[in-house]
Amino acid sequence: MNTESKIILVVDDAASVVMAIRNILDPYYEVKTASSGEDALTILNAFKPDLILLDVTMPGIDGYEVCRQIRANEAFRTVKIIMVSSRSELKERLNGYASGADDYIGKPFQEEELLAKVRVFLRIRALENELQQLNNTLNEQVSLRTEQLLLAEKLAAIGRYSAGIVHNLNTPLQVIMGSAELLAIKHPDNPNIMRLRKAAAQMKKIISTIISTGYREGGTEYTELDLNEVIRDQIELLKSNPFFKHKIRTELILSPLPAYRGIYAHFSQSFGNLIKNAADAMYSSEQKFLSITTSVKDGVILIKISDTGHGISKERMGKIFNPFFTTKPLTASDERPTGTGLGLASAKEMIEAYGGEISVESQLGKGSIFTVILPIMNRKDSGRINEW
């Protein structure tokens, strides 16, 4: 019975040898056979064996030439080849290695030795394949990270220009607000003027939030933070997204919290990533309800971010904080949420740097609750934590 799903090709012109090897290997592996070098090279195109047991002396092309031709083919360079021959002198073995063979076993061979060599080289091949897969994954991640860094730099440049534009909006906005006030004095009962004043006030609040948040995001100094204010800032910023503003119903239940010593950007990025993740999870939900609560209990600050999204399966629960793990596309032609798989990972790392943690509860089809737990005594006098 084949238990390891490995394919071994036996190449030998002696039917008795082929039968003997098949009897040894059949209980463990899938065995294919060829009676000549030419046959072996032909059938290699039909399947890719994990290991080849190759006779040296055969009519037509000998084993050394077969080995050289296999190694010349890029598709078969990693296939393991063990030469099997009655000619086992040092010169013959060296010729085999020079042709590209991985090992050499003499005839007659012991069953235990043949099995041991097969298992060793199959294990080596499996490790090489695993290493290649890891290397491919690393290359993909490096490529993705490079794209992300380029995008981040591009967005940073856009952000700098946007900050200047937003700041320059203050001057014409002051003119609009002043003119609206004068019109309100002259026409106190005009509803259109009242709406104009209200819209101008809302615009001023948005501009003020963007400017103050951008200023604090650039800071690297430790200050006494109002975490509730950080959460409110992130909600205001996310309202610039029409989906978040018009589709998601938001509830904030923010209890008074003690001042928390830290860097504003660490918490604004962490909370922003968690809130955005909750919003993205509700993109296809019939009900879209985001709830954020803060409280103090047993010497820790609790921040709960709840959504009515699609939930997280048990299989994915253990991966959600892994860097680059995401169920969202990197880009999308429509308004679907996109992601890089770094938001939750960076949020977790930043919160843990303050001695905190993030826990998750989730039900498929019902939603998730992410809870940030921060110790109140958070290293006020212990120096700096990791820089980001």
Side-chain angles (χ1 to χ4, degrees):
M1 178 181 178
N2 181 355
T3 60
E4 299 190 22
S5 301
K6 301 294 184 182
I7 300 176
I8 297 177
L9 174 62
V10 180
V11 186
D12 201 303
D13 62 321
S16 59
V17 174
V18 171
M19 182 60 68
I21 295 176
R22 179 184 283 278
N23 289 339
I24 295 171
L25 300 180
D26 256 344
Y28 312 103
Y29 309 104
E30 181 179 351
V31 179
K32 304 285 187 179
T33 62
S35 58
S36 68
E38 291 85 351
D39 287 345
L41 294 173
T42 299
I43 65 175
L44 276 177
N45 295 319
F47 65 92
K48 188 174 181 178
D50 297 284
L51 182 144
I52 300 173
L53 294 173
L54 180 61
D55 186 21
V56 174
T57 306
M58 295 181 290
I61 303 176
D62 66 13
Y64 299 135
E65 180 59 26
V66 172
C67 192
R68 282 191 287 269
Q69 290 193 34
I70 291 173
R71 290 299 184 227
N73 190 327
E74 183 67 33
F76 302 108
R77 284 187 177 180
T78 61
V79 172
K80 298 304 173 186
I81 300 176
I82 300 177
M83 292 290 207
V84 183
S85 176
S86 56
R87 297 162 58 181
S88 57
E89 297 83 2
L90 177 60
K91 180 182 178 181
E92 300 297 334
R93 296 200 305 273
L94 292 176
N95 284 340
Y97 296 136
S99 302
D102 295 287
D103 203 356
Y104 206 103
I105 186 169
K107 296 179 184 177
F109 47 79
Q110 296 293 322
E111 177 178 337
E112 293 81 4
E113 182 185 11
L114 179 65
L115 267 176
K117 285 182 179 287
V118 166
R119 285 170 176 158
V120 165
F121 282 100
L122 286 177
R123 187 160 60 247
I124 292 172
R125 177 170 166 76
L127 291 172
E128 288 176 348
N129 287 341
E130 184 178 344
L131 181 61
Q132 184 61 48
Q133 290 174 2
L134 289 172
N135 188 54
N136 292 340
T137 300
L138 180 61
N139 287 336
E140 290 173 5
Q141 291 182 348
V142 168
S143 176
L144 177 60
R145 184 57 175 159
T146 301
E147 290 179 15
Q148 291 166 350
L149 290 173
L150 291 173
L151 178 60
E153 178 58 32
K154 183 178 180 180
L155 292 175
I158 294 172
R160 289 191 292 271
Y161 287 121
S162 299
I165 292 170
V166 169
H167 190 273
N168 290 333
L169 287 175
N170 266 326
T171 300
L173 179 60
Q174 291 297 333
V175 175
I176 293 172
M177 293 182 72
S179 299
E181 290 296 331
L182 290 174
L183 288 170
I185 294 172
K186 292 181 179 180
H187 308 282
D189 298 324
N190 191 318
N192 291 326
I193 295 174
M194 296 302 108
R195 283 197 292 270
L196 176 62
R197 292 177 66 194
K198 183 178 179 181
Q202 288 176 336
M203 185 178 292
K204 182 174 179 61
K205 181 180 178 182
I206 292 170
I207 290 174
S208 176
T209 299
I210 292 173
I211 291 174
S212 63
T213 302
Y215 175 78
R216 284 180 288 184
E217 286 279 4
T220 58
E221 296 299 318
Y222 283 76
T223 58
E224 299 296 320
L225 301 173
D226 181 348
L227 297 182
N228 285 335
E229 183 183 2
V230 178
I231 292 169
R232 291 191 194 96
D233 288 346
Q234 292 307 304
I235 292 295
E236 287 300 319
L237 288 175
L238 283 170
K239 284 181 180 178
S240 63
N241 182 319
F243 172 78
F244 187 90
K245 182 176 182 179
H246 301 294
K247 300 292 185 181
I248 296 178
R249 184 163 60 93
T250 304
E251 177 186 62
L252 300 182
I253 305 175
L254 308 180
S255 302
L257 300 178
Y260 204 83
R261 185 168 176 77
I263 296 175
Y264 181 90
H266 291 174
F267 292 96
S268 64
Q269 291 173 29
S270 298
F271 296 164
N273 285 333
L274 290 169
I275 295 169
K276 183 181 181 300
N277 182 71
D280 289 348
M282 295 187 285
Y283 180 75
S284 301
S285 298
E286 190 171 324
Q287 293 188 357
K288 300 175 177 61
F289 179 62
L290 173 70
S291 173
I292 303 177
T293 65
T294 61
S295 61
V296 177
K297 183 180 180 181
D298 298 331
V300 298
I301 293 173
L302 300 175
I303 300 168
K304 291 182 180 288
I305 300 171
S306 307
D307 65 68
T308 55
H310 48 66
I312 306 166
S313 67
K314 291 181 179 179
E315 293 75 17
R316 290 175 175 170
M317 184 66 79
K319 303 177 183 178
I320 59 173
F321 291 110
N322 292 349
F324 302 104
F325 176 80
T326 180
T327 58
K328 294 177 283 191
L330 184 62
T331 59
S333 57
D334 52 20
E335 295 181 349
R336 284 180 302 158
T338 58
T340 61
L342 292 174
L344 290 180
S346 63
K348 181 175 184 289
E349 194 170 354
M350 281 190 270
I351 293 300
E352 288 180 347
Y354 285 84
E357 61 179 289
I358 302 177
S359 65
V360 188
E361 302 171 52
S362 186
Q363 284 185 283
L364 280 176
K366 293 187 177 181
S368 304
I369 302 174
F370 283 74
T371 302
V372 177
I373 305 168
L374 290 166
I376 292 177
M377 302 300 292
N378 67 311
R379 294 197 264 181
K380 289 187 176 182
D381 302 311
S382 61
R384 303 184 67 82
I385 63 168
N386 295 333
E387 295 292 343
W388 300 92

